[in-house]
């Protein structure tokens, strides 16, 4: 039950006041004009408040959608960046591989895949410096295929190339991991044997000569017998690298003069 002169539970006090002001029994009440003014002001304030709330909600919505848009753009840029990074990684990898292939090409003989002169000279330089530090000597073998021109002349240049490649393989199979065989030019090979005195180098050179004799050329011609001559030298601390190579070359010439298919050691 509503207490007389009070709004019922849950009733809006403004609605209650409006209903009181409209009631005919209050028409002559002297407070009526003042209450009507207050009521009008209250309505106006409520309307303003609602307007403000609407504007605030609206700006919230705008801010929210703006933030979402920025987040989407950020995600998109991030995905793009990931893609670019992946591509750039791939390019870098390709570039590294290309560099490595170029480096290899600059240091390798294209026909046999052996070291070329440049790589051998660099290794000889290192060996010379190492010898000065450790006192260990190295040996050098200059190997030349015997009568190679005959193979070229009889079976053609391609067959000659095949023989050179098989020579390279046969020599390398006799070497240790730290030895280095280079193609010095034409049918001439230079073998660096680090930390190897002459007597030990001689055994290795003989093994190489045997391996050369055992190369099979049956697919080219049954009758070819492949042999090589070797000039062998031990490095001397009092000479430069060129001097050592020169002595190996002289020993090789001597081996050829002595009848080929043989090893000639240079005096130390
Ligand atoms: N197939 C082929 N032949 C080459 C290559 N480089 C050089 N030659 C040939 O190797 C031959 C070397 O001949 P020579 O210097 O007379 O020597 P040789 O016939 O081996 O005789 P000796 O060394 O005196 O036993 C020449 O015919 C060159 O043309 C090459 O890369 N491929």
């Amino acid at each position: 039950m509503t207490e007389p002169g009070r709004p019922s539970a849950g009733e809006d006090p403004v609605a209650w006041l409006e209903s009181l002001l409209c009631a005919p029994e209050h028409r002559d009440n002297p407070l009526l004009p003042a209450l009507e003014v207050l009521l009008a002001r209250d309505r106006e304030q409520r309307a303003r408040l609602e307007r403000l709330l609407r504007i605030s909600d609206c700006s919230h919505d705008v801010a929210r959608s703006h933030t979402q848009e920025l987040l989407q753009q950020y995600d998109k840029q991030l995905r793009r960046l990931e893609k670019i990074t992946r591509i750039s990684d791939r390019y870098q990898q390709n570039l590294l591989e290309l560099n490595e292939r170029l480096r290899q090409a600059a240091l390798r003989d294209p026909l046999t895949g052996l070291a070329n002169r440049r790589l051998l000279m660099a290794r000889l330089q290192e060996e010379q410096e190492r010898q000065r530090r450790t006192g260990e000597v190295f040996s050098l073998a200059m190997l030349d295929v015997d009568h190679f021109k005959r193979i070229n002349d009889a079976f053609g240049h391609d067959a000659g190339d095949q023989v050179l490649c098989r020579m390279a393989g046969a020599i390398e199979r006799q070497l240790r991991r730290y030895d280095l065989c280079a193609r010095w030019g034409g049918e001439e090979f230079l073998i660096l044997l680090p930390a190897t005195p002459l007597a030990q180098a001689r055994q290795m050179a003989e093994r190489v000569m045997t391996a050369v004799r055992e190369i099979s050329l049956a697919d080219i011609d049954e009758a070819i017998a492949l042999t090589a001559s070797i000039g062998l030298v031990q490095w001397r601390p009092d000479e430069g690298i060129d001097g050592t190579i020169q002595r190996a070359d002289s020993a090789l010439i001597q081996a050829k003069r002595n009848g080929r298919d043989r090893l000639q050691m240079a005096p130390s």
Side-chain angles (χ1 to χ4, degrees):
M1 250 293 291
T2 310
E3 206 182 315
R6 291 199 170 273
S8 54
E11 190 181 1
D12 178 12
V14 176
W16 172 65
L17 190 58
E18 277 171 343
S19 70
L20 285 179
L21 292 178
C22 292
E25 63 267 34
H26 296 129
R27 196 178 302 141
D28 300 324
N29 192 318
L31 291 175
L32 200 63
L35 284 170
E36 277 174 348
V37 168
L38 277 177
L39 203 59
R41 192 177 294 167
D42 180 74
R43 274 196 213 104
E44 203 177 298
Q45 275 179 351
R46 276 181 186 225
R48 193 180 298 150
L49 209 59
E50 277 166 15
R51 226 173 27 249
L52 276 174
L53 277 172
R54 266 202 312 279
I55 290 168
S56 150
D57 280 356
C58 194
S59 75
H60 254 110
D61 285 351
V62 169
R64 197 180 307 124
S65 77
H66 187 60
T67 310
Q68 262 172 357
E69 202 178 301
L70 281 176
L71 277 172
Q72 276 166 3
Q73 277 183 17
Y74 181 77
D75 274 355
K76 206 164 148 188
Q77 292 301 334
L78 215 59
R79 279 198 298 276
R80 241 182 235 170
L81 205 64
E82 279 171 6
K83 202 167 157 188
I84 290 169
T85 311
R86 274 202 305 276
I87 291 171
S88 141
D89 279 357
R90 214 165 50 232
Y91 274 127
Q92 271 192 29
Q93 189 56 35
N94 288 348
L95 217 58
L96 281 176
E97 283 168 14
L98 203 63
N99 252 341
E100 181 52 27
R101 293 221 306 265
L102 277 174
R103 204 180 65 83
Q104 286 290 333
L107 299 173
R108 296 275 156 192
D109 165 49
L111 176 66
T112 60
L114 291 176
N116 62 13
R117 273 182 183 231
R118 187 192 295 188
L119 179 53
L120 182 84
M121 289 309 277
R123 279 289 305 277
L124 278 170
Q125 205 71 44
E126 283 171 24
E127 278 311 310
Q128 187 174 253
E129 279 153 25
R130 205 160 69 91
Q131 196 283 334
R132 293 205 169 111
R133 281 196 319 273
T134 65
E136 279 178 337
V137 291
F138 65 86
S139 293
L140 205 56
M142 191 174 280
L143 179 152
D144 188 285
V145 188
D146 294 328
H147 298 304
F148 184 64
K149 189 172 179 308
R150 291 182 190 168
I151 296 176
N152 265 344
D153 291 347
F155 307 105
H157 205 269
D158 285 352
D161 282 357
Q162 281 274 326
V163 173
L164 290 176
C165 291
R166 286 180 211 182
M167 285 282 305
I171 298 170
E172 283 219 300
R173 279 191 288 277
Q174 301 307 315
L175 302 183
R176 300 159 299 183
R177 197 173 39 82
Y178 46 90
D179 298 329
L180 184 75
C181 177
R183 186 165 176 215
W184 193 242
E187 36 30 305
E188 217 167 47
F189 301 84
L190 205 50
I191 306 167
L192 165 65
L193 303 166
T196 313
L198 202 57
Q200 196 185 335
R202 178 189 186 149
Q203 291 173 7
M204 295 205 58
E206 280 170 349
R207 279 215 311 270
V208 167
M209 288 179 68
T210 305
V212 170
R213 287 187 207 106
E214 287 171 354
I215 292 173
S216 167
L217 299 177
D219 55 327
I220 300 173
D221 188 89
E222 294 278 359
I224 320 174
L226 200 60
T227 60
S229 301
I230 291 183
L232 187 63
V233 63
Q234 178 184 303
W235 184 73
R236 273 199 320 235
D238 63 335
E239 70 184 354
I241 288 166
D242 287 345
T244 315
I245 295 173
Q246 204 101 64
R247 281 195 303 125
D249 193 38
S250 301
L252 172 65
I253 291 169
Q254 196 55 50
K256 293 273 183 185
R257 280 196 193 126
N258 290 348
R260 296 182 175 82
D261 188 20
R262 69 195 57 224
L263 171 72
Q264 179 68 49
M265 294 200 286
S268 326

